Amino acid sequence: MTVTLAVVGAGARGQIYARAAVAGGRARIVAVADPDPARRAKLAAEHGLPEEACFTGWAELAAVPKLADAVVIATQDRLHADPAVAFAGLGYAILLEKPMAPTEPEARRIVEAVERAGVVFAVCHVLRYTAYTRAFKELVGGGRLGTISSVQHLEPVGWWHMAHSFVRGSWRNAAESGPMLLTKSCHDIDWLLHLVGDEPVGVASFGSLTHFRPENRPQGAGERCVSCAVEPTCPYSAARLYLGCLGDPDREFWPLGPVTSEATPAGVMRALETGPYGRCVYDCDNDVVDQQVVTMEFARGATVSFTMTAFTPLEHRKTRVFGTHGFAEGDGRAIRVVDFVTGEEETIDTGTRAGASLADGHGGGDAGLVAAFVDAVAAGDQAPIGASAADALAGHLVVWAAERARETRTVQAL
């Protein structure tokens, strides 16, 4: 069976999922909806779509008779709930970019619509679908480490990635997108629930915007990198970052793609002179945190500490698991295991070679997710996805509770 897909939102994520589906040889893109004519035309040309298969928005696509088995919803975060509910009601299987929605009521509305319609549904928690995650989950679930006592988990966002997406970019302001823990780290909270395999019962959190603030602006800094006296020595130079992408197709796609469609030195400089990505990182309208710690307690007594920080290279996540019979630590590629009975050590090579960024496919997670979704749609069965809509919601509920805990300096029961 060839699964047919419509893509709603033809930005970077929509393009990536469409390409992954087609590359697997078992799916075909049959429609696109996006209000931006350039993005819409680009995806249509890549997948050979006729004009009648191109729509200016999700509502226009939803207004015609059902024309695909499934829909990929990769719109901006605040435009997830209405299309998800509508397409579920029309009988489409749904691949929904994370986060599900910016608020709990909207997310619950999506879950209710999906469960009522009985359609296949997946949230793009791509970290679940890597070979590394499968190996780590098998290690923990197989009992080799004994009973899990605690877990430490680090998300190294990357200094330039923070500046690109969360200081200058579309996810910089919580009122316009959502808090950092939701828009970036719901991946990690979902992954930790998946790894531990238990119900969280309480959460606390601390974090703030510590660095990317006006008072930290270097003396003599300009409003834009292209006219700044301190730009050559600034770690967050937009000129250095985006000019450095030229000549590398992956980096021209991301992070340069959102900045300009003209991948030339002149095109980059024009974008930095006028667009949001050329602004000084100390002179933006950003308010999301640049570091945060979340601690969770689980029903069987295990504790988890999660740290998100901007001030790292952009790398794979780092995780340590402390069990009663063994210890394991992983770096996104390999897992070191220490057996407490024998004292012996083993390194499990998971075969992961891809990097951690969007341009690298999140260590194989993008392709793994899409393959599982296509399998599920072809079979008409949720099982290949390995998670239900309620499972996807569970991590979001922890995120919202953690944000309440951070804002009120309390411990939140779950």
Side-chain angles (χ1 to χ4, degrees), residues 35 42 60 96 121 127 139 142 144 222 241 261 281 302 337 362 386-387 403:
K42 181 179 179 181
E60 288 74 17
L96 178 64
F121 175 78
L127 297 185
L139 174 68
R144 187 174 172 185
L241 170 60
S261 59
V281 293
V337 185
H362 295 109
E403 279 299 288

Side-chain angles (χ1 to χ4, degrees), residues 128-148:
R128 281 184 178 238
Y129 298 92
T130 65
Y132 170 81
T133 296
R134 288 195 298 272
F136 221 143
K137 179 63 176 175
E138 289 171 6
L139 174 68
V140 171
R144 187 174 172 185
L145 304 180
T147 300
I148 300 308

Side-chain angles (χ1 to χ4, degrees), residues 275-294:
Y277 291 95
R279 293 178 295 175
C280 175
V281 293
Y282 305 103
D283 192 30
C284 293
D285 58 338
N286 59 302
D287 63 6
V288 300
V289 304
D290 53 23
Q291 57 81 31
Q292 187 166 356
V293 174
V294 177

Side-chain angles (χ1 to χ4, degrees), residues 147-208:
T147 300
I148 300 308
S149 172
S150 59
V151 178
Q152 294 176 344
H153 184 72
L154 169 68
E155 179 183 18
V157 175
W159 83 99
W160 64 263
H161 183 201
M162 182 76 195
H164 170 75
S165 294
F166 306 102
V167 178
R168 297 175 172 124
S170 298
W171 295 273
R172 67 190 180 277
N173 188 286
E176 294 182 9
S177 57
M180 185 79 169
L181 194 64
L182 180 67
T183 62
K184 183 71 173 75
S185 302
C186 69
H187 272 317
D188 297 84
I189 301 301
D190 173 80
W191 190 87
L192 287 164
L193 298 190
H194 176 60
L195 184 71
V196 174
D198 193 14
E199 294 292 323
V201 295
V203 62
S205 183
F206 299 91
S208 60

Side-chain angles (χ1 to χ4, degrees), residues 46-370:
E46 183 173 344
H47 297 281
L49 304 182
E51 182 63 31
E52 59 268 23
C54 301
F55 300 85
T56 56
W58 71 264
E60 288 74 17
L61 173 60
V64 303
K66 184 170 181 280
L67 48 70
D69 300 311
V71 61
V72 177
I73 300 175
T75 52
Q76 283 292 319
D77 303 346
R78 293 188 173 275
L79 300 174
H80 283 183
D82 287 344
V85 170
F87 285 111
L90 293 170
Y92 284 82
I94 298 172
L95 181 64
L96 178 64
E97 176 62 328
K98 64 83 190 170
M100 293 177 70
T103 67
E104 181 177 337
E106 288 174 290
R108 289 193 181 278
R109 188 159 67 95
I110 293 170
V111 173
E112 290 167 2
V114 166
E115 291 179 343
R116 182 169 58 249
V119 296
V120 168
F121 175 78
V123 173
C124 298
H125 285 139
V126 298
L127 297 185
R128 281 184 178 238
Y129 298 92
T130 65
Y132 170 81
T133 296
R134 288 195 298 272
F136 221 143
K137 179 63 176 175
E138 289 171 6
L139 174 68
V140 171
R144 187 174 172 185
L145 304 180
T147 300
I148 300 308
S149 172
S150 59
V151 178
Q152 294 176 344
H153 184 72
L154 169 68
E155 179 183 18
V157 175
W159 83 99
W160 64 263
H161 183 201
M162 182 76 195
H164 170 75
S165 294
F166 306 102
V167 178
R168 297 175 172 124
S170 298
W171 295 273
R172 67 190 180 277
N173 188 286
E176 294 182 9
S177 57
M180 185 79 169
L181 194 64
L182 180 67
T183 62
K184 183 71 173 75
S185 302
C186 69
H187 272 317
D188 297 84
I189 301 301
D190 173 80
W191 190 87
L192 287 164
L193 298 190
H194 176 60
L195 184 71
V196 174
D198 193 14
E199 294 292 323
V201 295
V203 62
S205 183
F206 299 91
S208 60
L209 177 60
T210 61
H211 184 66
F212 300 101
R213 306 168 63 92
E215 58 265 35
N216 293 323
R217 185 174 181 169
Q219 186 174 1
E223 294 183 358
R224 289 184 172 272
C225 291
V226 295
S227 57
C228 177
V230 301
E231 178 272 330
T233 59
C234 179
Y236 308 102
S237 165
R240 183 186 310 116
L241 170 60
Y242 300 119
L243 289 172
C245 295
L246 297 176
D248 181 334
D250 288 339
R251 297 187 69 206
E252 286 181 358
F253 177 72
W254 187 86
L256 185 58
V259 179
T260 178
S261 59
E262 187 181 349
T264 66
V268 170
M269 294 305 287
R270 274 194 295 271
L272 299 188
E273 287 167 359
T274 59
Y277 291 95
R279 293 178 295 175
C280 175
V281 293
Y282 305 103
D283 192 30
C284 293
D285 58 338
N286 59 302
D287 63 6
V288 300
V289 304
D290 53 23
Q291 57 81 31
Q292 187 166 356
V293 174
V294 177
T295 57
M296 290 181 278
E297 183 180 30
F298 286 78
R300 295 195 291 267
T303 56
V304 169
S305 64
F306 164 65
T307 298
M308 178 285 300
T309 178
F311 307 108
T312 65
L314 199 174
E315 297 178 333
H316 285 290
R317 277 78 168 176
K318 321 291 184 187
T319 308
R320 292 174 173 172
V321 177
F322 305 89
T324 56
H325 288 183
F327 164 83
E329 60 180 347
D331 62 1
R333 299 178 187 273
I335 306 167
R336 171 178 167 248
V337 185
V338 180
D339 188 302
F340 292 171
V341 176
T342 65
E344 294 179 351
E345 295 189 16
E346 177 192 0
T347 298
I348 301 171
D349 184 349
T350 66
T352 302
R353 300 294 177 261
S357 76
L358 179 150
D360 297 316
H362 295 109
D366 291 353
L369 162 72
V370 173

